C-alpha cells in the first residue's frame, strides 16, 4: 500500500454543558471561528448569549503549515480553559494557568534563558541519551546549533559510544525530529516557571522551573 502523506483533519466541537449541551459544530478550517456575543460585531461567528462570554471571547483557528488547530483567548476577563484527559497532551506556554485536581492553580511564566550548552543537555535528556554529552563535547559539538549543523553524520560519529544497541536508533529518531520539534526560527530557548497564584499585594512563589526534558 502506498504511504499517505499527513494532512489536515476536520474538527467538530461538542457542547458538554449549559443550554446547548449535546450540540455539535464543525470548525471552519479556512476562516476559523470566533466565539462571543452579538455585541462583538460581525466577525463573531459563534454567538452564545447568557453564558458569561466576553463580546469577543476566544478563537479557534487552523494553521496550514503544521496541520494544527489553535485555541486563543481574544479579549476575555475570565480566561479560556481547556481540559486534558485520556492521556492526551497539549503545549504549555507563558501566560497560561494550570489546574490539576484539588491542587492550587499554578501560573506559567517565562523562566530563565537556556544557554547554547544547556540546550544540548536538555535535548539529550529528552531521549535518555545524556551520557553522550562528553563525547559530543570531545568532538567540539558544544552548542545546539553545532549539533544541528553536524546532524547528518552524527550517528556515525558516535557509533562506538552507545551503551545500548537501540540507542543508535533513538539518536537517529531524535535527529530526524530536530526541525519539527526545535525549528531554528521558533525554538523555545528558555525555561518555564510554575508559580502559585499570589494573594492580593503579595508576590507569586515559584514552585519549579523546567526546560525541554
Amino acid at each position: 500500500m502506498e504511504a499517505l502523506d499527513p494532512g489536515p483533519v476536520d474538527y467538530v466541537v461538542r457542547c458538554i454543558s449549559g443550554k446547548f449541551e449535546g450540540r455539535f459544530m464543525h470548525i471552519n478550517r479556512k476562516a476559523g471561528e470566533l466565539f462571543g456575543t452579538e455585541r462583538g460585531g460581525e466577525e463573531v461567528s459563534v454567538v452564545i448569549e447568557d453564558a458569561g462570554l466576553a463580546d469577543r471571547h476566544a478563537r479557534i483557528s487552523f494553521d496550514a503549515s503544521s496541520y494544527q488547530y489553535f485555541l486563543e483567548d481574544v479579549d476575555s476577563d475570565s480566561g479560556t480553559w481547556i481540559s486534558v484527559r485520556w492521556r492526551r497532551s497539549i503545549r504549555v506556554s507563558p501566560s497560561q494557568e494550570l489546574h490539576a485536581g484539588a491542587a492550587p492553580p499554578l501560573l506559567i511564566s517565562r523562566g530563565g534563558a537556556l544557554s547554547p550548552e544547556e540546550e544540548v543537555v536538555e535535548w539529550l535528556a529528552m531521549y535518555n541519551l545524556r551520557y553522550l554529552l562528553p563525547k559530543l563535547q570531545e568532538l567540539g559539538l558544544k552548542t545546539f546549533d553545532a549539533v544541528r549543523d553536524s546532524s547528518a553524520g552524527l550517528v556515525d560519529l558516535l557509533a562506538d559510544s552507545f551503551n545500548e544497541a537501540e540507542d543508535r536508533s533513538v539518536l537517529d529518531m531524535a535527529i530526524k525530529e530536530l526541525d519539527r520539534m526545535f525549528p531554528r526560527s521558533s525554538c523555545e530557548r528558555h525555561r518555564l516557571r510554575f508559580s502559585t497564584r499570589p494573594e492580593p499585594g503579595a508576590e507569586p512563589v515559584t514552585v519549579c522551573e523546567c526546560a525541554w526534558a
Side-chain angles (χ1 to χ4, degrees), residues 103-158:
L106 295 177
L107 307 178
I108 304 174
S109 60
R110 188 185 182 99
L114 286 170
S115 69
E117 294 78 11
E118 289 174 324
E119 290 175 354
V120 178
V121 176
E122 292 291 335
W123 176 64
L124 290 173
M126 283 186 63
Y127 299 94
N128 293 319
L129 297 174
R130 191 168 180 171
Y131 70 89
L132 294 175
L133 181 63
K135 183 62 176 180
L136 288 178
Q137 293 176 333
E138 179 184 323
L139 294 169
L141 305 178
K142 299 180 179 180
T143 69
F144 198 40
D145 286 338
V147 169
R148 188 194 299 272
D149 292 339
S150 302
S151 60
L154 192 57
V155 173
D156 292 333
L157 285 173
L158 299 173

Side-chain angles (χ1 to χ4, degrees), residues 5 8 10 32 35 45 48 52 66 71-72 79 106 111 120 127 134 136 141 150 157 168 171 174 196 202 211:
D5 292 331
D10 287 327
F35 295 77
S45 56
I48 305 176
S66 63
L71 174 65
E72 172 194 7
L106 295 177
V120 178
Y127 299 94
L136 288 178
L141 305 178
S150 302
L157 285 173
R168 182 185 180 96
L171 180 61
T196 59

Side-chain angles (χ1 to χ4, degrees), residues 33-48 54-57:
E33 304 288 355
L34 177 61
F35 295 77
T37 71
E38 287 186 350
R39 294 185 299 275
E42 295 182 357
E43 190 182 358
V44 175
S45 56
V46 182
V47 174
I48 305 176
D55 294 341
R56 293 163 51 86
H57 196 106

